[in-house]
Amino acid sequence: MSTIQQYLKEIGRGKDGARALSRAQACELLGWVLDGQAQPLQVGAFCLAMRIKGETAQEMAGFMDAVHARLPRSAAGASPVIVLPSYNGARRLPVLTPLLALLLVREGLPVLLHGSTTEGSRVTAAQVLEQLNHTPVTTLTTPQPGELVSIHTRALLPGLADLLDARATIGLRNPAHSLVKHMNPLATSGTTSLVVGCYTHPEYSISMEQTHAEAGSHALLLRGMEGEPVADPRRQPMMRGILHGKTLLTLSNEGGSVPAAPQLPSGLDAAATAAYTREVLNGERPVPAPIATQVQVIVDLHRQLTAHAATAGAQA
């Protein structure tokens, strides 16, 4: 029987000497961490070892397996749900993830936004949504078509929130910070979900695509706005649509210009961002072209998932 120490020996031999874990081994290891069975020193060793070695697609899929197995159950949804992971917040630009979420809701899609932050100086999507009179839930529920549900990571899985918070102690990111951008909180409900995953460095797009291929999941991948899953309103991003683990759609216009430079709020605070969001939703300001394109791509992918589910149901 394997132990935490044995797995740490495998992954902790440095960049060149470390060996990758299988999907099942990665699932078992992270399961121990999430369940509190690892000692603090072992958690730190896990975080540093994986930071140096880097995660393989099989390991990341195994980590997702561990998280999904521990998530709370909710009722199955009647329609595929759009999942927006929001973990970075505003640094130099306003956080527009709430705008994306509410534009998708306006299209009649069910949207689940989950997140937290390990940097207290940033404005979060949750703070903007609070200004828009949207209260997060404390118990996971499946959103209905045209509904937005938001939830904090700690309400989903306390052990995962603890692992995210370890960044403040260790000073470095760990696999949890990548994991949450792949995570489907409705995995145990049987609800089909499309995860909108984002990356800040182009090389991560490859590993994210490989992870979804390994897991056979559905996703839209793009270079997000400061790590948020919303297109940068100043430029057209490259986007990849992945269904059942296979890349079916690639819109390549990385860095392409937009028809007109958007007039963004002058401040990053939640009140100013919420006011801007209201103005766009009310038609007083235009939807930034890259975000409008992202919304349309998500709507199209949602339509394909809905059609596939209907076909599968008819054949059952």
Coordinates of all heavy atoms in Angstrom, one line a residue, residues 152-229:
H152 N -18.6 30.5 -2.7 CA -17.2 30.6 -2.3 C -16.6 29.2 -2.3 O -17.3 28.2 -1.9 CB -17.1 31.2 -0.9 CG -15.7 31.6 -0.6 ND1 -14.7 30.7 -0.1 CD2 -15.0 32.8 -0.6 CE1 -13.6 31.3 0.2 NE2 -13.7 32.6 -0.1
T153 N -15.3 29.0 -2.6 CA -14.6 27.7 -2.6 C -14.7 27.0 -1.3 O -14.9 25.8 -1.2 CB -13.2 27.9 -3.0 OG1 -13.1 28.7 -4.1 CG2 -12.5 26.6 -3.3
R154 N -14.7 27.8 -0.2 CA -14.7 27.1 1.1 C -16.1 26.4 1.4 O -16.2 25.4 2.1 CB -14.4 28.1 2.3 CG -14.2 27.5 3.6 CD -13.5 28.4 4.6 NE -12.1 28.6 4.2 CZ -11.1 27.8 4.4 NH1 -11.3 26.6 5.0 NH2 -9.9 28.1 4.0
A155 N -17.1 27.0 0.8 CA -18.4 26.3 0.9 C -18.5 25.1 0.1 O -19.4 24.2 0.3 CB -19.5 27.3 0.5
L156 N -17.7 25.0 -1.0 CA -17.6 23.8 -1.8 C -16.8 22.7 -1.2 O -17.2 21.5 -1.1 CB -17.0 24.1 -3.2 CG -17.9 24.9 -4.1 CD1 -17.1 25.3 -5.3 CD2 -19.1 24.1 -4.6
L157 N -15.6 23.0 -0.7 CA -14.6 22.0 -0.2 C -13.6 22.7 0.7 O -12.6 23.3 0.1 CB -14.0 21.3 -1.4 CG -13.1 20.1 -1.1 CD1 -13.9 19.1 -0.3 CD2 -12.5 19.5 -2.3
P158 N -13.8 22.7 2.0 CA -12.8 23.4 2.9 C -11.4 23.0 2.7 O -10.5 23.9 2.7 CB -13.3 23.0 4.3 CG -14.8 22.7 4.1 CD -14.9 22.1 2.7
G159 N -11.1 21.7 2.4 CA -9.7 21.3 2.2 C -9.1 21.9 1.0 O -7.9 22.2 1.0
L160 N -9.8 22.2 0.0 CA -9.3 22.8 -1.2 C -9.0 24.3 -0.9 O -8.0 24.8 -1.3 CB -10.3 22.7 -2.4 CG -9.9 23.3 -3.7 CD1 -8.6 22.7 -4.2 CD2 -11.0 23.1 -4.7
A161 N -9.9 24.9 -0.2 CA -9.7 26.3 0.2 C -8.4 26.5 1.1 O -7.7 27.4 0.9 CB -10.9 26.9 1.0
D162 N -8.2 25.5 2.0 CA -7.0 25.5 2.8 C -5.8 25.4 1.9 O -4.7 26.1 2.2 CB -7.0 24.4 3.8 CG -8.1 24.5 4.9 OD1 -8.5 25.7 5.1 OD2 -8.4 23.5 5.5
L163 N -5.8 24.6 0.9 CA -4.7 24.4 0.0 C -4.4 25.7 -0.8 O -3.2 26.1 -1.0 CB -4.9 23.2 -0.9 CG -3.7 22.7 -1.7 CD1 -2.5 22.4 -0.8 CD2 -4.1 21.5 -2.5
L164 N -5.5 26.3 -1.2 CA -5.3 27.6 -1.9 C -4.7 28.7 -0.9 O -3.8 29.4 -1.3 CB -6.6 28.2 -2.4 CG -7.3 27.4 -3.5 CD1 -8.7 27.9 -3.7 CD2 -6.5 27.7 -4.8
D165 N -5.1 28.6 0.3 CA -4.6 29.6 1.3 C -3.1 29.3 1.7 O -2.5 30.2 2.3 CB -5.5 29.6 2.6 CG -6.8 30.2 2.3 OD1 -7.0 30.9 1.3 OD2 -7.8 29.9 3.2
A166 N -2.6 28.1 1.4 CA -1.2 27.8 1.7 C -0.3 28.7 1.0 O 0.9 28.8 1.4 CB -1.0 26.3 1.4
R167 N -0.7 29.3 -0.1 CA 0.1 30.2 -0.8 C 0.6 31.4 0.1 O 1.8 31.8 -0.1 CB -0.6 30.8 -2.0 CG 0.2 31.8 -2.9 CD -0.6 32.3 -4.0 NE 0.1 33.2 -4.9 CZ -0.3 33.7 -6.0 NH1 -1.5 33.4 -6.4 NH2 0.5 34.5 -6.8
A168 N -0.2 31.8 1.0 CA 0.2 32.9 1.8 C 1.3 32.5 2.8 O 2.2 33.4 3.1 CB -1.0 33.4 2.7
T169 N 1.4 31.2 3.2 CA 2.4 30.8 4.1 C 3.7 30.4 3.3 O 4.8 30.7 3.7 CB 1.9 29.5 4.8 OG1 0.7 29.9 5.6 CG2 3.0 29.0 5.8
I170 N 3.5 29.7 2.2 CA 4.7 29.2 1.4 C 5.2 30.3 0.5 O 6.4 30.3 0.2 CB 4.2 28.0 0.6 CG1 3.8 26.8 1.5 CG2 5.4 27.5 -0.3 CD1 3.2 25.6 0.8
G171 N 4.4 31.1 0.0 CA 4.8 32.2 -0.9 C 4.8 31.8 -2.4 O 5.2 32.6 -3.3
L172 N 4.3 30.6 -2.7 CA 4.3 30.1 -4.1 C 2.9 29.5 -4.4 O 2.3 29.0 -3.5 CB 5.4 29.1 -4.4 CG 6.8 29.6 -4.3 CD1 7.8 28.4 -4.3 CD2 7.2 30.5 -5.4
R173 N 2.6 29.5 -5.7 CA 1.4 28.8 -6.1 C 1.6 27.3 -6.0 O 2.7 26.8 -6.0 CB 1.1 29.2 -7.6 CG 0.6 30.6 -7.8 CD 0.7 30.9 -9.3 NE 0.0 30.0 -10.1 CZ -1.3 30.0 -10.4 NH1 -2.1 31.0 -9.9 NH2 -1.9 29.1 -11.2
N174 N 0.5 26.6 -5.9 CA 0.6 25.1 -5.9 C -0.5 24.6 -6.8 O -1.2 25.3 -7.5 CB 0.4 24.6 -4.4 CG -1.0 25.0 -3.9 OD1 -2.0 24.5 -4.3 ND2 -1.0 25.8 -2.8
P175 N -0.6 23.2 -7.0 CA -1.5 22.7 -8.0 C -2.9 23.1 -7.8 O -3.7 23.2 -8.8 CB -1.4 21.2 -7.8 CG 0.0 21.0 -7.3 CD 0.3 22.2 -6.4
A176 N -3.3 23.5 -6.6 CA -4.7 23.9 -6.4 C -5.1 25.2 -7.2 O -6.2 25.3 -7.7 CB -5.0 24.2 -4.9
H177 N -4.1 26.0 -7.5 CA -4.4 27.3 -8.2 C -4.7 27.0 -9.7 O -5.4 27.8 -10.3 CB -3.2 28.3 -8.0 CG -3.1 28.7 -6.6 ND1 -2.3 28.1 -5.7 CD2 -3.6 29.8 -5.9 CE1 -2.3 28.7 -4.5 NE2 -3.2 29.7 -4.6
S178 N -4.1 26.0 -10.2 CA -4.4 25.5 -11.6 C -5.7 24.7 -11.6 O -6.5 24.8 -12.5 CB -3.3 24.8 -12.2 OG -2.1 25.6 -12.3
L179 N -5.8 23.8 -10.5 CA -6.9 22.9 -10.5 C -8.3 23.6 -10.5 O -9.2 23.1 -11.2 CB -6.7 22.1 -9.2 CG -7.8 21.1 -8.8 CD1 -8.0 20.0 -9.9 CD2 -7.5 20.5 -7.5
V180 N -8.4 24.7 -9.7 CA -9.7 25.3 -9.6 C -10.1 25.9 -11.0 O -11.3 26.1 -11.2 CB -9.7 26.5 -8.6 CG1 -9.6 25.9 -7.2 CG2 -8.6 27.5 -8.8
K181 N -9.2 26.1 -11.9 CA -9.6 26.6 -13.2 C -10.0 25.5 -14.2 O -10.5 25.8 -15.3 CB -8.4 27.4 -13.8 CG -8.1 28.7 -12.9 CD -7.1 29.6 -13.6 CE -6.9 30.8 -12.7 NZ -6.0 31.8 -13.3
H182 N -9.9 24.3 -13.7 CA -10.5 23.1 -14.4 C -11.7 22.6 -13.8 O -12.5 21.8 -14.4 CB -9.4 22.0 -14.5 CG -8.2 22.3 -15.2 ND1 -8.1 22.3 -16.6 CD2 -6.9 22.6 -14.8 CE1 -6.8 22.6 -17.0 NE2 -6.1 22.8 -15.9
M183 N -11.9 22.9 -12.5 CA -12.9 22.2 -11.7 C -14.3 22.4 -12.1 O -14.7 23.5 -12.5 CB -12.7 22.7 -10.3 CG -13.6 22.0 -9.2 SD -13.2 22.6 -7.5 CE -13.7 24.3 -7.5
N184 N -15.1 21.3 -12.0 CA -16.5 21.4 -12.3 C -17.3 21.1 -11.0 O -17.4 19.9 -10.6 CB -16.9 20.4 -13.3 CG -18.4 20.2 -13.5 OD1 -19.2 21.1 -13.1 ND2 -18.9 19.1 -14.1
P185 N -17.7 22.1 -10.3 CA -18.4 21.9 -9.0 C -19.6 21.0 -9.0 O -20.1 20.5 -8.0 CB -18.8 23.3 -8.5 CG -17.8 24.2 -9.2 CD -17.6 23.6 -10.6
L186 N -20.2 20.8 -10.2 CA -21.4 20.0 -10.4 C -21.1 18.6 -10.9 O -22.0 17.9 -11.3 CB -22.4 20.7 -11.4 CG -22.9 22.1 -10.9 CD1 -23.6 22.8 -12.1 CD2 -23.7 22.0 -9.7
A187 N -19.9 18.2 -10.7 CA -19.4 16.9 -11.2 C -20.2 15.7 -10.6 O -20.5 14.7 -11.3 CB -18.0 16.7 -11.0
T188 N -20.6 15.8 -9.4 CA -21.3 14.7 -8.7 C -22.8 14.8 -9.0 O -23.5 13.8 -8.6 CB -21.1 14.8 -7.2 OG1 -21.6 16.0 -6.6 CG2 -19.6 14.6 -6.9
S189 N -23.3 15.8 -9.6 CA -24.8 15.9 -9.8 C -25.2 15.3 -11.1 O -26.4 15.1 -11.3 CB -25.2 17.4 -9.8 OG -24.7 18.0 -11.0
G190 N -24.3 15.0 -11.9 CA -24.6 14.4 -13.2 C -25.0 15.5 -14.2 O -25.4 15.2 -15.4
T191 N -24.8 16.8 -13.9 CA -25.1 17.9 -14.8 C -24.0 18.1 -15.7 O -22.8 18.2 -15.3 CB -25.4 19.2 -14.0 OG1 -26.5 18.9 -13.0 CG2 -25.7 20.3 -14.9
T192 N -24.3 18.2 -17.0 CA -23.3 18.6 -18.0 C -22.8 20.0 -17.7 O -23.6 20.9 -17.6 CB -23.8 18.4 -19.4 OG1 -24.2 17.1 -19.6 CG2 -22.8 18.8 -20.4
S193 N -21.5 20.2 -17.8 CA -21.0 21.6 -17.5 C -19.9 21.9 -18.5 O -19.1 21.1 -18.9 CB -20.4 21.7 -16.1 OG -21.4 21.4 -15.1
L194 N -19.9 23.2 -18.9 CA -18.8 23.8 -19.7 C -18.0 24.7 -18.9 O -18.5 25.8 -18.4 CB -19.4 24.5 -20.9 CG -18.4 25.2 -21.8 CD1 -17.8 24.2 -22.8 CD2 -19.1 26.3 -22.7
V195 N -16.8 24.4 -18.6 CA -15.9 25.2 -17.8 C -15.2 26.2 -18.7 O -14.5 25.9 -19.6 CB -14.9 24.3 -17.0 CG1 -13.9 25.2 -16.2 CG2 -15.6 23.3 -16.1
V196 N -15.3 27.5 -18.3 CA -14.5 28.5 -19.0 C -13.2 28.7 -18.3 O -13.1 29.4 -17.2 CB -15.3 29.9 -19.0 CG1 -14.6 30.9 -19.8 CG2 -16.7 29.6 -19.7
G197 N -12.2 28.1 -18.8 CA -10.9 28.1 -18.2 C -10.0 29.2 -18.8 O -10.0 29.4 -20.1
C198 N -9.1 29.8 -18.0 CA -8.3 30.9 -18.5 C -6.8 30.7 -18.1 O -6.6 29.9 -17.2 CB -8.8 32.2 -18.1 SG -8.6 32.4 -16.3
Y199 N -5.9 31.3 -18.8 CA -4.5 31.2 -18.5 C -3.9 32.6 -18.8 O -4.5 33.4 -19.5 CB -3.8 30.2 -19.4 CG -4.1 30.3 -20.9 CD1 -3.2 31.1 -21.7 CD2 -5.1 29.6 -21.5 CE1 -3.5 31.3 -23.0 CE2 -5.4 29.8 -22.8 CZ -4.5 30.6 -23.6 OH -4.8 30.7 -24.9
T200 N -2.8 32.9 -18.1 CA -2.1 34.1 -18.3 C -0.9 34.0 -19.2 O -0.5 34.9 -19.8 CB -1.7 34.7 -17.0 OG1 -0.9 33.7 -16.2 CG2 -2.9 35.1 -16.1
H201 N -0.3 32.8 -19.2 CA 0.9 32.5 -20.0 C 0.5 31.5 -21.1 O -0.1 30.5 -20.8 CB 2.1 32.0 -19.2 CG 2.4 32.9 -18.1 ND1 3.1 34.1 -18.3 CD2 2.2 32.8 -16.7 CE1 3.3 34.7 -17.1 NE2 2.8 33.9 -16.1
P202 N 0.8 31.8 -22.4 CA 0.4 31.0 -23.5 C 0.8 29.5 -23.4 O 0.0 28.6 -23.8 CB 1.1 31.6 -24.7 CG 1.3 33.0 -24.3 CD 1.6 33.0 -22.9
E203 N 1.9 29.2 -22.8 CA 2.3 27.8 -22.7 C 1.3 27.0 -21.8 O 1.2 25.7 -22.0 CB 3.7 27.7 -22.1 CG 3.9 28.2 -20.7 CD 4.4 29.7 -20.7 OE1 4.1 30.4 -21.7 OE2 4.9 30.1 -19.7
Y204 N 0.6 27.6 -20.9 CA -0.3 26.9 -20.1 C -1.6 26.4 -20.9 O -2.3 25.5 -20.5 CB -0.8 27.7 -18.9 CG 0.3 27.8 -17.8 CD1 0.9 29.0 -17.6 CD2 0.6 26.7 -17.1 CE1 1.9 29.1 -16.6 CE2 1.6 26.8 -16.1 CZ 2.2 28.0 -15.8 OH 3.2 28.0 -14.9
S205 N -1.8 27.1 -22.0 CA -3.0 26.7 -22.9 C -2.8 25.2 -23.3 O -3.8 24.5 -23.4 CB -3.1 27.6 -24.1 OG -2.0 27.4 -25.0
I206 N -1.6 24.8 -23.6 CA -1.3 23.4 -24.0 C -1.6 22.4 -22.9 O -2.3 21.4 -23.1 CB 0.1 23.3 -24.5 CG1 0.4 24.2 -25.7 CG2 0.4 21.8 -24.9 CD1 1.8 24.3 -26.2
S207 N -1.1 22.7 -21.7 CA -1.3 21.8 -20.6 C -2.8 21.7 -20.2 O -3.3 20.7 -19.8 CB -0.4 22.2 -19.4 OG -0.8 23.5 -18.9
M208 N -3.5 22.9 -20.3 CA -4.9 22.9 -19.9 C -5.7 22.0 -21.0 O -6.6 21.3 -20.6 CB -5.4 24.3 -19.9 CG -4.9 25.1 -18.7 SD -5.6 26.8 -18.7 CE -7.2 26.4 -18.0
E209 N -5.3 22.2 -22.2 CA -6.0 21.4 -23.3 C -5.8 19.9 -23.1 O -6.7 19.1 -23.2 CB -5.5 21.9 -24.7 CG -6.3 21.3 -25.8 CD -5.9 22.0 -27.1 OE1 -4.9 22.8 -27.2 OE2 -6.5 21.7 -28.2
Q210 N -4.5 19.6 -22.7 CA -4.2 18.2 -22.5 C -4.9 17.6 -21.3 O -5.4 16.4 -21.3 CB -2.7 18.0 -22.3 CG -1.9 18.3 -23.6 CD -0.4 18.3 -23.3 OE1 0.1 18.5 -22.2 NE2 0.4 18.1 -24.3
T211 N -5.1 18.4 -20.3 CA -5.8 18.0 -19.1 C -7.3 17.7 -19.4 O -7.9 16.6 -19.0 CB -5.8 19.0 -18.0 OG1 -4.4 19.2 -17.6 CG2 -6.6 18.6 -16.8
H212 N -7.9 18.6 -20.2 CA -9.3 18.3 -20.5 C -9.5 17.1 -21.5 O -10.5 16.4 -21.5 CB -9.9 19.6 -21.1 CG -10.3 20.6 -20.1 ND1 -11.3 20.5 -19.2 CD2 -9.7 21.8 -19.8 CE1 -11.4 21.6 -18.4 NE2 -10.4 22.4 -18.8
A213 N -8.4 16.9 -22.3 CA -8.5 15.7 -23.2 C -8.4 14.5 -22.3 O -9.1 13.5 -22.6 CB -7.3 15.8 -24.2
E214 N -7.5 14.5 -21.3 CA -7.4 13.3 -20.4 C -8.7 13.1 -19.7 O -9.1 11.9 -19.5 CB -6.2 13.6 -19.5 CG -6.0 12.5 -18.4 CD -5.6 11.2 -18.9 OE1 -4.9 11.1 -20.0 OE2 -5.9 10.1 -18.3
A215 N -9.3 14.1 -19.2 CA -10.5 14.0 -18.4 C -11.8 13.8 -19.2 O -12.8 13.4 -18.7 CB -10.7 15.2 -17.5
G216 N -11.7 14.1 -20.6 CA -12.9 14.0 -21.4 C -13.9 15.0 -21.1 O -15.1 14.7 -21.2
S217 N -13.5 16.2 -20.6 CA -14.5 17.2 -20.2 C -14.7 18.2 -21.2 O -14.2 18.2 -22.3 CB -13.9 17.9 -18.9 OG -12.6 18.2 -19.0
H218 N -15.6 19.2 -20.9 CA -16.0 20.3 -21.8 C -15.5 21.6 -21.3 O -15.6 21.9 -20.1 CB -17.5 20.4 -21.9 CG -18.2 19.0 -22.0 ND1 -18.0 18.1 -23.0 CD2 -19.1 18.5 -21.2 CE1 -18.7 17.1 -22.8 NE2 -19.4 17.2 -21.7
A219 N -14.9 22.4 -22.2 CA -14.3 23.7 -21.8 C -14.2 24.7 -22.9 O -14.2 24.3 -24.1 CB -12.9 23.4 -21.2
L220 N -14.1 25.9 -22.5 CA -13.6 27.0 -23.4 C -12.4 27.5 -22.8 O -12.4 28.0 -21.6 CB -14.7 28.1 -23.6 CG -14.2 29.3 -24.4 CD1 -14.1 28.9 -25.9 CD2 -15.2 30.4 -24.3
L221 N -11.3 27.5 -23.5 CA -10.0 28.0 -23.0 C -9.7 29.3 -23.7 O -9.8 29.4 -24.9 CB -8.9 27.0 -23.2 CG -9.2 25.6 -22.6 CD1 -7.9 24.7 -22.9 CD2 -9.5 25.7 -21.1
L222 N -9.2 30.3 -22.9 CA -8.7 31.5 -23.5 C -7.7 32.2 -22.6 O -7.7 31.9 -21.4 CB -9.9 32.5 -23.8 CG -10.5 33.2 -22.6 CD1 -11.2 34.4 -23.0 CD2 -11.5 32.3 -21.8
R223 N -7.0 33.1 -23.1 CA -6.1 33.9 -22.3 C -7.0 35.0 -21.7 O -7.4 35.9 -22.3 CB -5.0 34.5 -23.2 CG -3.9 35.2 -22.4 CD -2.8 35.7 -23.2 NE -1.7 36.3 -22.5 CZ -0.5 36.7 -23.0 NH1 -0.3 36.6 -24.3 NH2 0.4 37.2 -22.2
G224 N -7.2 34.8 -20.4 CA -8.2 35.7 -19.7 C -7.6 37.0 -19.4 O -6.5 37.4 -19.6
M225 N -8.5 37.8 -18.8 CA -8.2 39.2 -18.4 C -7.6 39.1 -17.0 O -8.3 38.9 -16.0 CB -9.4 40.0 -18.4 CG -9.2 41.5 -18.0 SD -10.8 42.3 -18.2 CE -10.4 43.9 -17.5
E226 N -6.2 39.2 -16.9 CA -5.5 39.1 -15.6 C -5.9 37.9 -14.9 O -6.0 37.9 -13.6 CB -5.8 40.4 -14.8 CG -5.2 41.7 -15.4 CD -5.3 42.8 -14.5 OE1 -6.1 42.9 -13.6 OE2 -4.4 43.8 -14.6
G227 N -6.0 36.8 -15.6 CA -6.3 35.5 -15.0 C -7.7 35.2 -14.7 O -8.1 34.2 -14.1
E228 N -8.6 36.1 -15.1 CA -10.0 35.9 -14.9 C -10.6 35.3 -16.2 O -10.0 35.5 -17.3 CB -10.7 37.2 -14.6 CG -10.5 37.7 -13.2 CD -11.3 36.9 -12.2 OE1 -12.5 36.7 -12.4 OE2 -10.7 36.5 -11.2
P229 N -11.7 34.5 -16.2 CA -12.2 33.8 -17.3 C -13.0 34.7 -18.3 O -14.0 34.2 -18.9 CB -13.1 32.7 -16.7 CG -13.6 33.4 -15.5 CD -12.5 34.2 -15.0

